[in-house]
C-alpha cells in the first residue's frame, strides 16, 4: 500500500514520517486504526514466539530497515509492525515465503524490543563458529569489512564473524572489559563482569594472529606493528545500542595481548542514589557540589566509578546560569549544556595546557579528568583560588591519601588547606542477585573485621541461572567521604601523614570504606566477603 494513502484519515494526521517510515504518534489511536484496516493489535507476547528461521529467510537487514518482526502467534505466522505499512510488508513476505503471513500492529517500542530479541537469537545460533574456529584458520580472510551493526553484519569470513560474536557476547553480558590473551598452547578470552574476570572462551594458538589483526583493523591500528604497544578506539552498534570500545595492545612473550574496555554511549547517566550512595552520603556530596569555589576530589582505582559519580554531581549542578567545562581523556559521557574537551597528546593538548585555556572561557565549574602531575595540580589550585569550583580524580587508595599525594606533587600546604573542600574515596561492590540473594548470620571473623555485631544478619550470595551461578548481578558504590573541616585543615598545614589525617577526619564524622560497606551488607545489598574483597588495603 503506498505510504501517502494512510498519512491522513478521517480528519486525523496522527502519523508522521520518521526515518522514511510512518510511525504512530499517539499509541492510544492504534485500536482505531486497527479497526479501520481490519488488523489486530498485539498487546502481550504471552502467546507469541520468535520466528527466527523466518527472520533469516526475510533477511535481518531488511527487517531492521522496515522495523518489522515475524512471530508465531498461536501457530499463526504474523508480521508485526508499528505502522500500516506492515500490510504491504506482510504481502511481500507471503510472496517470498510461499505461505500466508498475517499483518498485525503493535507499539513501536514492542516491535523494536522483539526485533532486537530476534536479531540476538539469530546471532547466538551463529556463535557455533567460536567452537570450531580452529578448523577455519586461514591466511586469506577478509579484514576490510567495516562493522556498523554487528547483529545484521553479513560477513562470511570466519574471523570477522568470530570477532563480531565475541564483541556481541560481551555487550549482551554487560561486560566492562574483554581480554584477549595468548599463551604457549592456547588463546584465552576473558570477560570482566561486575569487576571480576571470568574465563569465557579458549582457542588453539593459531587463531591468535588473525583474530588480533581483525581487532586492530577495526580500531584503525597498524597491523604490521607488533613490537610496540598501540591504543585505538572502536565505535559499533549492537541491536540499536551504541558502544564505544577503547583498545590497548601490548607485546608479550607469546604475541600481542589485547584489552578492550567497553562503554555504552546510550546508557543513561545514573543519579547519586542509583549509584548506591545512602542518604547521609548524598547530603555530603551535594554539600560539596554547592560550594562556590574550591576543589573536590574523587579517588579510587581504575574502574571504581569515579567518573560516573562526578558526572552525577555535574548533572545536578548543570543549569543555564552556570558555565561548566570539562577536560577529559577520553570524554566518556555526553552531557547537554556542558562544554567537553578531550585531551590529545599527539597535538600537544594536555590536561595542563587545556586547563589554562578553559580558565579563559569564563567557567564557573571545571571538571578535570585526572590530576596526573605537579603542573596540573598547581593550575587546579590556582583555578580554585580565583573563584572556580574544580572537580577531579586522583589515584590513591583512600581519601586521606589524596592530601599526601598532592603535597608530594609539590602543592604548598597553605594553598591546599584553603582550597580543598572534600575528598571521596570510592569502590564498586557487586550487588546480590535479586532472584536468589538471601540473608544469613555473619561469621564471627567477618563481624570482627567489619565491626558488625555478633550474629547480625547479612546478605548471602547463592547463585542461580539469572546470575550465571555467581550470586551477584550489577554493582553499587561504597565510599568514604572526608570533609575538610578546620581540624583537617590544621593537619594539612602541618603536613601530617595519612594516618593522622584519617584520625582527624573520623573525629569529624567520616565513615571508612568498610563501615560504608557494612551498612549495605546489613541491608542485604551485598555480602561481607564482597566488602572485604574491595576494601582491604
Amino acid at each position: 500500500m503506498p505510504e501517502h494513502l494512510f498519512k491522513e484519515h478521517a480528519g486525523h494526521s496522527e502519523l508522521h514520517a520518521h526515518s522514511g517510515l510512518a510511525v504512530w504518534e499517539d499509541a492510544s489511536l492504534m485500536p482505531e486504526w486497527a479497526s479501520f484496516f481490519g488488523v489486530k493489535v498485539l498487546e502481550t507476547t504471552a502467546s507469541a514466539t520468535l520466528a527466527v528461521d523466518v527472520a533469516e529467510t526475510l533477511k535481518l537487514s531488511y527487517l531492521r530497515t522496515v522495523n518489522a518482526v515475524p512471530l508465531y502467534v498461536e501457530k499463526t505466522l504474523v508480521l508485526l509492525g508499528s505502522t500500516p505499512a506492515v500490510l504491504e510488508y506482510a504481502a511481500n513476505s507471503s510472496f517470498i515465503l510461499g505461505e500466508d503471513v498475517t499483518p498485525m500492529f503493535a507499539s513501536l517500542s514492542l516491535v523494536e524490543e522483539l526485533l532486537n530479541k530476534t536479531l540476538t537469537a539469530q546471532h547466538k545460533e551463529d556463535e557455533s563458529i567460536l567452537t570450531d574456529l580452529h578448523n577455519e584458520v586461514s591466511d586469506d580472510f577478509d579484514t576490510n569489512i567495516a562493522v556498523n551493526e554487528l547483529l545484521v553484519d553479513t560477513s562470511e569470513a570466519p574471523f570477522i564473524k568470530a570477532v563480531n560474536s565475541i564483541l556481541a557476547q560481551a555487550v549482551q553480558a554487560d561486560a566492562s572489559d574483554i581480554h584477549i590473551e595468548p599463551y604457549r598452547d592456547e588463546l584465552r578470552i576473558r570477560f570482566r563482569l561486575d569487576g571480576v574476570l571470568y574465563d569465557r572462551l579458549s582457542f588453539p594458538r593459531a587463531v591468535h594472529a588473525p583474530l588480533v589483526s581483525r581487532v586492530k583493523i577495526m580500531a584503525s591500528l597498524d597491523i604490521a606493528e607488533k613490537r610496540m604497544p598501540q591504543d585505538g578506539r572502536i565505535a559499533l552498534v549492537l541491536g540499536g545500542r551504541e558502544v564505544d570500545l577503547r583498545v590497548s595492545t601490548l607485546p608479550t612473550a607469546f604475541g600481542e595481548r589485547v584489552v578492550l574496555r567497553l562503554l555504552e554511549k546510550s546508557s543513561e547517566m545514573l543519579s547519586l542514589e542509583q549509584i548506591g550512595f545512602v542518604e547521609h552520603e548524598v547530603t555530603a556530596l551535594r554539600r560539596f557540589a554547592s560550594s562556590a569555589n574550591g576543589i573536590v576530589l574523587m579517588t579510587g582505582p581504575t574502574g571504581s566509578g569515579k567518573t560516573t559519580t562526578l558526572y552525577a554531581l555535574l548533572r545536578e549542578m548543570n543549569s543555564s546560569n552556570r558555565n561548566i567545562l570539562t577536560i577529559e581523556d577520553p570524554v566518556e559521557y555526553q552531557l547537554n549544556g556542558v562544554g567537553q574537551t578531550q585531551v590529545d597528546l599527539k597535538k600537544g593538548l594536555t590536561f595542563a595546557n587545556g586547563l589554562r585555556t578553559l580558565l579563559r572561557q569564563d567557567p564557573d565549574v571545571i571538571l578535570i579528568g585526572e590530576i596526573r602531575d605537579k603542573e596540573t595540580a598547581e593550575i587546579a589550585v590556582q583555578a580554585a583560588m580565583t573563584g572556580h569550583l574544580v572537580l577531579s580524580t586522583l589515584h590513591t587508595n583512600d581519601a586521606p591519601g589524596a592530601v599526601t599525594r598532592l603535597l608530594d606533587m609539590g602543592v604548598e600546604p597553605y594553598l591546599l588547606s584553603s582550597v580543598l573542600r572534600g575528598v571521596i574515596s570510592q569502590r564498586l561492590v557487586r550487588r546480590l542477585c535479586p532472584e536468589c540473594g538471601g540473608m544469613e548470620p555473619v561469621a564471627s571473623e567477618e563481624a570482627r573485621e567489619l565491626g558488625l555485631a555478633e550474629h547480625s544478619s547479612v546478605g548471602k550470595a547463592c547463585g542461580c541461572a539469572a546470575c550465571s551461578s555467581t550470586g551477584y548481578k550489577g554493582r553499587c558504590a561504597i565510599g568514604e567521604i572526608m570533609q575538610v573541616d578546620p581540624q583537617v585543615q590544621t593537619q594539612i598545614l602541618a603536613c601530617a601523614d595519612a594516618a593522622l589525617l584519617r584520625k582527624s577526619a573520623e573525629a569529624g564524622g567520616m565513615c571508612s570504606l568498610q563501615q560504608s560497606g557494612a551498612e549495605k551488607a546489613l541491608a542485604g545489598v551485598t555480602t561481607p566477603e564482597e566488602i572485604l574483597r574491595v576494601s582491604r588495603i
Side-chain angles (χ1 to χ4, degrees), residues 393-446:
T393 68
L394 201 63
H395 285 288
T396 62
N397 289 328
D398 58 5
V403 174
T404 56
R405 175 65 58 84
L406 290 173
L407 294 174
D408 288 343
M409 283 183 181
V411 177
E412 293 293 341
Y414 73 93
L415 292 176
L416 185 59
S417 65
S418 64
V419 300
L420 190 62
R421 298 290 175 261
V423 184
I424 307 103
S425 181
Q426 180 171 306
R427 301 290 188 277
L428 293 178
V429 297
R430 292 180 292 174
R431 291 180 182 269
L432 284 174
C433 173
E435 300 294 329
C436 64
M439 302 289 286
E440 66 177 355
V442 66
S444 57
E445 183 178 344
E446 294 162 349

Side-chain angles (χ1 to χ4, degrees), residues 323-393:
N323 183 22
I324 302 177
L325 302 176
T326 78
I327 181 161
E328 307 168 69
D329 185 23
V331 174
E332 296 189 4
Y333 298 96
Q334 282 77 45
L335 186 57
N336 191 36
V338 174
Q340 298 171 272
T341 302
Q342 182 159 314
V343 167
D344 190 339
L345 298 179
K346 292 181 180 179
K347 296 180 179 178
L349 180 57
T350 64
F351 279 115
N353 293 340
L355 187 51
R356 286 193 187 94
T357 303
L358 258 59
L359 290 174
R360 295 193 289 269
Q361 293 283 313
D362 186 32
D364 296 299
V365 180
I366 299 172
L367 170 65
I368 307 171
E370 182 184 350
I371 295 178
R372 296 178 177 175
D373 50 43
K374 179 182 178 180
E375 187 178 14
T376 306
E378 288 179 339
I379 299 172
V381 169
Q382 291 169 13
M385 293 285 290
T386 53
H388 306 90
L389 179 60
V390 179
L391 309 178
S392 188
T393 68

Side-chain angles (χ1 to χ4, degrees), residues 24-209:
W24 299 109
E25 190 171 89
D26 185 353
S28 65
L29 294 174
M30 191 178 293
E32 180 182 337
W33 284 98
S35 176
F36 173 74
F37 287 108
V39 174
K40 293 183 179 179
V41 177
L42 183 69
E43 297 179 347
T44 175
T45 58
S47 60
T49 56
L50 299 176
V52 179
D53 54 338
V54 175
E56 177 68 13
T57 303
L58 294 176
K59 300 300 181 184
L60 301 176
S61 55
Y62 168 74
L63 293 172
R64 169 67 72 184
T65 301
V66 302
N67 217 40
V69 59
L71 300 171
Y72 289 108
V73 180
E74 296 178 350
K75 298 183 179 181
T76 299
L77 180 57
V78 166
L79 189 69
L80 195 66
S82 62
T83 78
V86 74
L87 279 73
E88 185 176 353
Y89 303 147
N92 294 340
S93 300
S94 296
F95 178 77
I96 294 170
L97 298 170
E99 62 178 301
D100 292 337
V101 178
T102 303
M104 188 174 284
F105 290 149
S107 66
L108 180 61
S109 60
L110 180 57
V111 172
E112 290 182 338
E113 178 187 345
L114 293 172
L115 181 56
N116 283 334
K117 286 182 178 180
T118 301
L119 295 171
T120 300
Q122 178 58 45
H123 187 72
K124 287 182 176 179
E125 292 183 5
D126 292 338
E127 288 175 3
S128 60
I129 191 168
L130 296 176
T131 62
D132 58 4
L133 186 58
H134 60 279
N135 295 324
E136 302 290 344
V137 177
S138 171
D139 294 329
D140 60 354
F141 61 95
D142 181 2
T143 57
N144 297 312
I145 300 176
V147 175
N148 295 314
E149 165 56 87
L150 284 184
L151 294 183
V152 296
D153 185 10
T154 57
S155 307
E156 295 298 330
F159 295 105
I160 292 178
K161 294 186 72 174
V163 171
N164 289 358
S165 185
I166 291 168
L167 296 179
Q169 286 187 50
V171 174
Q172 290 162 356
D174 291 325
S176 61
D177 300 86
I178 304 170
H179 289 238
I180 302 175
E181 305 170 349
Y183 296 100
R184 184 183 298 276
D185 300 315
E186 67 170 346
L187 175 67
R188 186 164 61 174
I189 310 293
R190 294 196 289 172
F191 292 173
R192 188 176 293 278
L193 305 172
D194 294 330
V196 179
L197 275 173
Y198 294 94
D199 287 331
R200 196 62 179 238
L201 300 162
S202 179
F203 299 124
R205 178 78 168 73
V207 171
H208 170 257

Side-chain angles (χ1 to χ4, degrees), residues 292-311:
N293 55 61
I295 296 178
V296 177
L297 294 173
M298 286 289 307
T299 75
T302 300
S304 59
K306 300 187 295 295
T307 303
T308 302
T309 299
L310 285 179
Y311 262 91

